[in-house]
Every structure is written in C-alpha cells, then in structure tokens.
Amino acid sequence: MSVPGNHPAKTRILVVDEQPLLRHGVATYLNGQPALMVCGEADSISSTQSKIAECRPHLLLIGLRLGTGDSLELVTALKKQYRELLILVYSAFEETIFAERALRAGANGYLMKKAPREEMLAAIRDVVCGQVYVSRELAMRAFHKSLATPQQDRVPENLPVIDNLSNREMHVFQLIGSGLGTKNIAHALNLSVKTIETHRENIKRKLGLRSGRQLVERAIKYVEETFLPQHEADLSSARKKKVLPFRAA
C-alpha cells in the first residue's frame, strides 16, 4: 500500500544495446514515462553483469545480436543467477525463428525493433505484470499451429530448415554468413577448431547441404536476406560482398 503523498515506485530498467544512439533513444523515451526509469545502460555482454549489480534493475531490455557474443546464452545465464530479473528481448532478427528461442532461454518477452514505440510500452507493461509478451501476429501463428493436425501440418524435425539448428549452430551459421572462417569463429567463441568443424558438419546435415561451399553460400544468402534491407541485400549480392560485420552483443 502506498503512503499518501508518496509516488509509487518506478520500474527500474537496464537498457543493453551495442549501438549508442539507439540505446540513448530508447533510454530517453522510457525515462519520459511516469512509471519507468532507466537506471543504467550497457553496451556489451561483459558490461551487463556489472551494471546489473550496480543498478539492480527490475527489468532488462536487451537488444539481441549474436555477433561474437551469444545473447541467448547471456539470457539463460542471467535467469539462473537472478531469478526475479525480468528480461525483454528486442531484435531485428526474424521473429518466427528467434522469439521461441529467446523465450526458451528464459526471456519474458520478445519485441521486434520495427515495432512502434507504443508497443514497447505495452510489452514492458505485460512483462512487469507477470505475462509473457510476443506480437499478436506471432501469437496467432502459434495458435493456428496448435490447432493443426500433426499428420498434415507439423514439420518433421528431419526436414532441412533453418529452425532445426540449435542455438549454437545458428550462431555459427550466422558467423559463417558474415564472412568468418573456421579458425576465426573458433577464436571468437573461445572454442576449438575441431568443435567448430563439428558444428559445420551438423549444420550441413540438418540443412541437406553436401559441401562446405554450399554451406557458405547458404549462410551468406541467409544473412543478407535476414539482416539487410532488401535494397542493400541486392547491392551486396551484385557487388559480391561476402563480409557483413557482426559485432559483439
């Protein structure tokens, strides 16, 4: 019960995004809301832990980028360490693939970066109230999928589709598509070359690819189609650019 004359406590939010201008814009907008307060900002996975200890947020608003740091692994680790911490992921990544992965990792909601600002407030409100937030479009798609008969509409797990990749395999697949070779991926993820080679073989098998060249071509095409606006993807293909920067999350 609030004491007369006192203002109700604001929801403390830590904003995590590698892009300073975007992070500042989100923080400024949220600080303009009467019930919200941005208590801190972080620009990387490594700085997120210290900021959480420093400002003790109720909610973590994290921009999902897999780069050379896996944000999904961070979400999993944080939910284990801070059970009461609410996590809302916002991302430009394909919602149908990454929303479910983010929720499985422990996130309380998933919001597309292209969503209007008002939807971010709705997402925060739902998460703070104990609900799980996803877009209406995704929720309806999941609902219709649940009504479908397994024999007719369920996609077999052995069908060669991107969604069959594990989180780690998806991460490696994206780094391949960004132009990194096996040794560079191993260094970036602090894994052995042999482990990355195993991931590459598993990815090829799951996607029905027969060679390393097919894997690289498929990965580049996926990255261009998923993470670049269409006109930029067309220019990239026309100019045969094969390196797309994925900075650390």
Side-chain angles (χ1 to χ4, degrees), residues 8 79 110 124 130 156 194 222:
K79 291 299 286 190
Y110 190 94
I124 292 174
K194 184 177 181 180
Y222 175 78

Side-chain angles (χ1 to χ4, degrees), residues 53-89:
E54 177 184 319
C55 68
R56 304 181 69 83
H58 301 116
L59 183 143
L60 180 70
L61 180 62
I62 178 170
L64 182 66
R65 280 186 68 93
L66 295 182
T68 55
D70 194 329
S71 300
L72 293 178
E73 288 188 355
L74 174 64
V75 170
T76 300
L78 290 178
K79 291 299 286 190
K80 290 181 179 178
Q81 185 174 359
Y82 305 99
R83 295 181 179 275
E84 301 302 319
L85 179 65
L86 301 172
I87 299 179
L88 175 61
V89 172

Side-chain angles (χ1 to χ4, degrees), residues 110-149:
Y110 190 94
L111 178 71
M112 291 294 290
K113 282 188 175 181
K114 65 182 180 181
R117 295 187 302 177
E118 294 76 14
E119 188 173 342
M120 177 178 287
L121 295 182
I124 292 174
R125 181 177 63 248
D126 285 356
V127 168
V128 170
C129 290
Q131 302 177 39
V132 173
Y133 181 87
V134 293
S135 71
R136 184 179 185 278
E137 179 182 356
L138 183 65
M140 290 303 296
R141 189 181 298 121
F143 174 71
H144 288 299
K145 182 179 178 181
S146 69
L147 296 179
T149 58

Side-chain angles (χ1 to χ4, degrees), residues 63-237:
L64 182 66
R65 280 186 68 93
L66 295 182
T68 55
D70 194 329
S71 300
L72 293 178
E73 288 188 355
L74 174 64
V75 170
T76 300
L78 290 178
K79 291 299 286 190
K80 290 181 179 178
Q81 185 174 359
Y82 305 99
R83 295 181 179 275
E84 301 302 319
L85 179 65
L86 301 172
I87 299 179
L88 175 61
V89 172
Y90 72 104
S91 173
F93 290 177
E94 174 59 43
E95 186 178 31
T96 55
I97 295 177
F98 286 94
E100 184 176 353
R101 292 172 186 266
L103 296 177
R104 285 180 177 175
N108 301 90
Y110 190 94
L111 178 71
M112 291 294 290
K113 282 188 175 181
K114 65 182 180 181
R117 295 187 302 177
E118 294 76 14
E119 188 173 342
M120 177 178 287
L121 295 182
I124 292 174
R125 181 177 63 248
D126 285 356
V127 168
V128 170
C129 290
Q131 302 177 39
V132 173
Y133 181 87
V134 293
S135 71
R136 184 179 185 278
E137 179 182 356
L138 183 65
M140 290 303 296
R141 189 181 298 121
F143 174 71
H144 288 299
K145 182 179 178 181
S146 69
L147 296 179
T149 58
Q151 293 79 5
Q152 295 177 341
D153 297 279
R154 183 171 296 174
V155 177
E157 291 186 359
N158 61 352
L159 204 65
V161 294
I162 299 296
D163 200 31
N164 286 334
L165 302 181
S166 68
N167 289 341
R168 175 62 78 185
E169 290 164 353
M170 178 67 78
H171 193 181
V172 171
F173 184 65
Q174 290 173 0
L175 293 179
I176 292 172
S178 73
L180 294 183
T182 300
K183 291 183 179 179
N184 288 333
I185 295 175
H187 178 74
L189 300 183
N190 196 27
L191 297 172
S192 69
V193 170
K194 184 177 181 180
T195 297
I196 300 303
E197 289 175 344
T198 298
H199 285 314
R200 287 175 64 103
E201 291 302 313
N202 288 337
I203 294 169
K204 286 196 298 182
R205 174 177 53 81
K206 290 184 178 182
L207 298 185
L209 305 174
R210 297 183 178 181
S211 67
R213 180 176 179 177
Q214 287 183 346
L215 171 61
V216 172
E217 291 175 348
R218 178 73 179 276
I220 291 173
K221 182 178 180 181
Y222 175 78
V223 168
E224 290 179 345
E225 292 178 346
T226 305
F227 306 119
L228 289 180
Q230 188 57 49
H231 69 282
E232 291 186 22
D234 292 340
L235 287 174
S236 179
S237 297

